[in-house]
Amino acid sequence: DNAPSARAWGFEANYEQRFRQLPGLLDGLGLGFNWTWVDSNFAIRPGESQPLPSTSKNTVNATAFYERDGLALRLGYYYISRNLFGIGGSAATDVYSEPRTSVDFGSSYAVTKNLSVYFNAKNLSNTKLKFTEGTSNRPIQREFYGRTYQLGISFDY
């Protein structure tokens, strides 16, 4: 049965700055920041309300990057706050995805107009995915993904 009513509203702030005024090779540096805030609510059970499932109140992305002469380097930070993952029979059995932070690195170099090489490193912070039941001090599941590395060649024709 679907919820009889729900609402969601929020805002997003985004800022990116390329430091083109820096001398020499430094003019490829830049920073980016994004913050999304969402306030949501739905009737989860009669007389009870919760934020919409899989809707985090806060999501933050921050990036330091360098782009110049075919070289692109990017170090990214990502944060997502606690959110309702699954609806149980009561508040004590609702399942939550706990807050998590991860750090990723991406790079590429354009060897020619059509050929580039890339290297990516995902989850450098080795962030675990944690699920809890009812409250954050009742873990029920942890998922370990480790770090992932990719090295490759990209060809556009």
Side-chain angles (χ1 to χ4, degrees):
D1 193 17
N2 290 332
S5 67
R7 69 162 177 79
W9 72 279
F11 67 88
E12 181 175 23
N14 188 63
Y15 179 79
E16 184 171 288
Q17 175 70 50
R18 294 173 187 267
F19 300 107
R20 299 191 197 284
Q21 73 280 11
L22 293 175
L25 293 176
L26 295 177
D27 75 355
L29 288 174
L31 294 173
F33 177 80
N34 177 278
W35 172 42
T36 302
W37 180 84
V38 177
D39 183 37
S40 67
N41 194 295
F42 83 110
I44 188 169
R45 287 175 283 273
E48 273 184 75
S49 63
Q50 283 276 11
L52 287 165
S54 298
T55 305
S56 296
K57 187 169 281 284
N58 290 287
T59 304
V60 175
N61 297 284
T63 306
F65 60 89
Y66 182 84
E67 296 173 347
R68 184 184 162 122
D69 300 328
L71 177 64
L73 305 170
R74 190 168 291 269
L75 183 64
Y77 164 91
Y78 175 77
Y79 168 80
I80 186 169
S81 63
R82 185 177 199 246
N83 63 76
L84 179 64
F85 183 77
I87 300 168
S90 69
T93 59
D94 289 342
V95 176
Y96 293 87
S97 175
E98 290 300 313
R100 62 189 180 277
T101 300
S102 74
V103 176
D104 298 333
F105 173 77
S107 64
S108 67
Y109 178 70
V111 179
T112 67
K113 179 181 172 187
N114 297 8
L115 177 70
S116 61
V117 294
Y118 63 88
F119 173 75
N120 297 319
K122 305 285 185 185
N123 196 21
L124 288 172
S125 51
N126 201 19
T127 302
K128 295 147 192 74
L129 186 56
K130 178 182 174 185
F131 294 96
T132 57
E133 188 176 57
T135 63
S136 59
N137 63 350
R138 291 181 53 207
I140 59 170
Q141 181 176 334
R142 286 202 176 135
E143 297 178 11
F144 301 84
Y145 295 101
R147 295 170 187 90
T148 303
Y149 303 97
Q150 300 171 320
L151 178 64
I153 299 172
S154 177
F155 182 75
D156 296 323
Y157 58 95

